[in-house]
Amino acid sequence: MKTKVGIIGAGPSGLLLSQILHLAGIDSVVLERKSRDYVLSRIRAGVLEQGLADMLRAAEVGKRMDAEGLVHEGVNLAFDGRLERLDLAGLTGGKTVMVYGQTEVTHDLYEARDAMGGTVIHEADDVTPHGLDTDRPYLTWTKGGEAFRVDCDFVAACDGFHGVGRQSIPKDRLVEHEKVYPFGWLGVLSRTRPVDHELIYANHERGFALCSMRSDVLSRYYVQVPLDTDIGQWSDDRFWEELKRRLPQEVAARLETGPSIEKSIAPLRSFVAEPLSYGRLFLAGDAGHIVPPTGAKGLNLAASDVHYLSRALIAHYHEGDESALRAYSEKALRRIWKAERFSWSMTMLLHRFPAEGSFGQRIQHAELDYLFGSKAAMTAMAENYVGLPY
Ligand code: RFL
Ligand code: PHB
């Protein structure tokens, strides 16, 4: 088999890259370790920056998002018995975010790939890149006991944090920066009406909480939990009870509860690998970097990587210009580090850090109090939350 770009991973990064390349007349093959049903069963991000929403429209996969997605002009922070609103649109000259689940984005991308006859191979085991530092890289894999190979011009590793792409770069050619936080998020998805029409991030002495949603009838809630939490100890009743305790009273009083459809724990981590390329291999999305979910940036960063990488590949194939491919890592990393900084600062501002003691808590409260007393500080937060320009 032969293609132009071999893509590892059929998450949002890999599917969006293959879709954009296809529209530019550049063929690709996507290799995914899991089944399509498995990929579509993962509940992850929910907030899309305008940049990603525009990319999906340009990639001809924005129709359902525009029909069903919820445009949010503000976001709320609860702390110290206060509930304050950040007017995203007012502070950023009209910018908003779109609430539309990653699962739906992935679903729409799959439909588009199907309609255009794109090649996505599922249940591809032992995907292995070869010859990355040569002009003729190729990928091998096995499926159903049979061995396969695809020759390509470039390899895009869109295979997430645990993928094979980053691990294929020689250790002495990669620097990894990491911060692990001493807690995780316990998340629940429920078929209940969201407690508010906008998101509420809560800083509470019992720990962080977040009220989010997927639609008018589907809610997504999170509470901060210790890393060694046994999810078996968290009945739905216990979850709702704990969530209510961390929210302002008037919000807790109107919280609609119900059986969980999904319940999972995600650890929080910041991670960046540098550079994001090696020979003819390019890393995009979680394969190259991770953010804690507090700033809702993971999926959005994957999208900006795909934006830079697809533009660079198109410049190579259409104009014979290699410069954007050479500059990909540096360009993508400038935006990534800013989102890393924002996600880290939101995490530090809103969570309970047992080791920081009362001093750390007072500092958090001073910062939150300052934030809502300063238009400059609110503007800075709003600008980052809606997403910095590509
Ligand atoms: P993905 O979505 O992880 O997709 C990578 C795909 O590659 C496949 N794969 C392989 N395929 C072939 N061979 C191999 N060796 C392979 N190894 C892996 C995987 O099966 C998978 O299908 O990465 P991508 O496309 O870069 O997209 C990134 C986003 O998914 C990610 O940034 C966000 O979902 C992060 N994230 C969240 N972000 C938010 O903004 N808000 C959230 O609430 C939020 N929750 C989450 C999250 C990430 C989580 N992970 C990764 C554990 C919750 C979780 C649990
Ligand atoms: C979500 O809806 O899952 C969500 C929203 C905002 C975040 C993180 C997760 O910051």
Side-chain angles (χ1 to χ4, degrees):
M1 204 190 288
K2 203 168 166 20
T3 192
K4 289 201 162 62
V5 185
I7 299 176
I8 314 173
S13 307
L15 291 174
L16 182 56
L17 180 62
S18 74
Q19 173 73 0
I20 294 172
L21 292 179
H22 187 114
L23 292 172
I26 300 164
D27 65 274
S28 65
V29 167
V30 181
L31 299 175
E32 166 61 47
R33 185 167 55 180
K34 303 284 190 187
S35 70
R36 181 167 170 156
D37 284 348
Y38 182 93
V39 171
L40 286 171
S41 70
R42 290 188 293 227
I43 310 289
R44 290 187 176 173
V47 178
L48 316 187
E49 294 173 353
Q50 214 158 293
L52 169 52
D54 288 343
M55 266 180 91
L56 293 173
R57 290 180 191 113
E60 300 177 10
V61 282
K63 240 185 170 150
R64 197 161 68 96
M65 171 191 74
D66 281 327
E68 297 175 16
L70 306 169
V71 174
H72 282 202
E73 297 191 343
V75 63
N76 303 278
L77 268 63
F79 59 97
D80 239 358
R82 290 163 61 181
L83 183 60
E84 300 282 357
R85 181 170 187 270
L86 199 63
D87 176 5
L88 297 173
L91 291 161
T92 61
K95 293 217 175 94
T96 56
V97 292
M98 173 79 78
V99 173
Y100 189 64
Q102 178 170 332
T103 316
E104 307 310 317
V105 172
T106 311
H107 183 275
D108 296 347
L109 283 164
Y110 264 125
E111 298 247 295
R113 299 314 297 125
D114 286 349
M116 293 180 182
T119 309
V120 183
I121 299 168
H122 288 95
E123 290 161 347
D125 290 324
D126 306 316
V127 173
T128 311
H130 304 268
L132 296 171
D133 55 352
T134 72
D135 288 349
R136 296 169 191 278
Y138 61 99
L139 296 167
T140 57
W141 71 98
T142 60
K143 183 169 164 142
E146 237 186 293
F148 296 91
R149 164 177 172 151
V150 62
D151 292 274
C152 38
D153 299 334
F154 300 100
V155 174
C158 300
D159 50 353
F161 184 64
H162 299 287
V164 66
R166 193 178 68 253
Q167 288 161 24
S168 307
I169 301 179
K171 286 269 169 288
D172 62 348
R173 299 290 293 273
L174 202 67
V175 180
E176 298 185 343
H177 310 275
E178 184 170 43
K179 182 173 175 66
V180 176
Y181 302 87
F183 42 73
W185 281 15
L186 170 62
V188 157
L189 184 72
S190 64
R191 203 163 294 287
T192 52
R193 276 195 303 266
V195 70
D196 198 272
H197 70 288
E198 292 177 344
L199 271 65
I200 303 174
Y201 290 81
N203 173 313
H204 190 270
E205 62 186 28
R206 296 182 63 85
F208 169 81
L210 170 60
C211 305
S212 181
M213 67 201 70
R214 290 291 176 272
S215 72
D216 289 335
V217 290
L218 209 51
S219 299
R220 181 74 167 154
Y221 296 105
Y222 299 93
V223 294
Q224 173 186 351
V225 290
L227 270 182
D228 58 1
T229 297
D230 171 8
I231 200 165
Q233 300 296 310
W234 281 83
S235 65
D236 289 353
D237 284 348
R238 180 175 176 198
F239 179 85
W240 293 121
E241 203 46 46
E242 186 59 38
L243 177 63
K244 280 184 186 172
R245 291 176 80 167
R246 298 184 188 189
L247 298 175
Q249 258 174 15
E250 76 271 22
V251 177
R254 59 171 199 263
L255 181 76
E256 192 179 298
T257 63
S260 61
I261 303 170
E262 195 261 3
K263 193 187 283 164
S264 54
I265 297 182
L268 270 67
R269 184 199 301 270
S270 299
F271 173 89
V272 183
E274 294 182 306
L276 295 172
S277 60
Y278 168 70
R280 290 189 161 234
L281 171 77
F282 298 91
L283 307 180
D286 280 17
H289 43 82
I290 295 285
V291 286
T294 326
K297 292 287 168 243
L299 176 60
N300 293 297
L301 272 187
S304 55
D305 288 358
V306 168
H307 169 82
Y308 297 128
L309 184 55
S310 58
R311 297 261 292 233
L313 287 165
I314 292 167
H316 165 80
Y317 284 110
H318 290 189
E319 290 144 39
D321 182 356
E322 296 285 318
S323 60
L325 277 173
R326 278 196 298 274
Y328 164 70
S329 174
E330 200 184 324
K331 196 156 191 179
L333 281 165
R334 282 185 72 181
R335 189 169 192 278
I336 289 160
W337 274 113
K338 289 182 199 118
E340 289 282 345
R341 186 208 68 79
F342 178 65
S343 305
W344 162 83
S345 75
M346 284 276 281
T347 303
M348 300 304 285
L349 181 65
L350 295 172
H351 292 77
R352 197 79 348 184
F353 287 80
E356 298 295 321
S358 64
F359 182 82
Q361 289 171 30
R362 290 288 196 213
I363 294 290
Q364 281 184 342
H365 284 276
E367 192 169 340
L368 285 161
D369 193 23
Y370 166 69
L371 172 67
F372 287 100
S374 158
K375 186 157 185 213
M378 283 192 285
T379 304
M381 180 176 275
E383 220 168 64
N384 280 278
Y385 194 84
V386 299
L388 299 177
Y390 286 6

